Amino acid sequence: GENVEQHPSTLSVQEGDSAVIKCTYSDSASNYFPWYKQELGKGPQLIIDIRSNVGEKKDQRIAVTLNKTAKHFSLHITETQPEDSAVYFCAARNFNKFYFGSGTKLNVKP
Amino acid sequence: IAGITQAPTSQILAAGRRMTLRCTQDMRHNAMYWYRQDLGLGLRLIHYSNTAGTTGKGEVPDGYSVSRANTDDFPLTLASAVPSQTSVYFCASGVAGTSYEQYFGPGTRLTVT
């Protein structure tokens, strides 16, 4: 099956700085790569996603890039705010199944 | 519109007991999923269903069973609970075949003693 690795496991940034979280996947057949934000005690919430036929997608302060050749994709958050503090998960869809990274705990310091 | 609901919110269960976690969605999504979330391991797929009447195994299906009798409900059953099944369980739904997006429920925290 697919294997998704996510780095770093924790990330601390100053408010207003940018944050970057990276993921790699192993199976070139994976075709959809979502990112989720999970706040304490809640279920994951989809924040942005990208399909394998697209290299970059942006939604306000959040962007995702995909490099199919290298099999890695990244989440970029600009102008971070304290409310961005949460755990972020990447995932890859592979033949109807989703495989998740182990998560990144983002702490945005005011 | 409630989205996805899960019940119970939390449960303490004695080892060896049978337990069914309930999941209901009102978005008419054809696909539904069950995940478990353990500290440091992210979410792992237990079982999924692409449409009513069909189910499939995920990464960690052993010890769990599911059924999909209709579009809205996707119960997860632990036939004989073991302590290693202590986890937070999330149900999700989506539109398989088109957008691929998944929407998650609030989770069930299960402790097996």
Side-chain angles (χ1 to χ4, degrees), chain A residues 30-33 50-56 66 68:
Chain A
S30 293
N31 62 353
Y32 171 73
F33 306 92
I50 192 166
R51 295 200 179 206
S52 57
N53 59 349
V54 177
E56 184 174 0
L66 171 65
K68 282 198 301 182

Side-chain angles (χ1 to χ4, degrees), chain A residues 18-71:
Chain A
S18 295
V20 180
I21 303 171
K22 299 181 179 182
C23 287
T24 61
Y25 61 100
S26 61
D27 191 339
S28 58
S30 293
N31 62 353
Y32 171 73
F33 306 92
W35 285 89
Y36 294 89
K37 176 183 181 182
Q38 186 176 29
E39 297 175 333
L40 197 62
K42 296 184 178 180
Q45 180 184 9
L46 179 68
I47 57 172
I48 196 168
D49 56 11
I50 192 166
R51 295 200 179 206
S52 57
N53 59 349
V54 177
E56 184 174 0
K57 183 177 179 180
K58 190 174 182 179
D59 183 4
Q60 297 182 10
R61 297 187 296 110
I62 296 174
V64 57
T65 58
L66 171 65
N67 183 326
K68 282 198 301 182
T69 303
K71 296 195 191 72

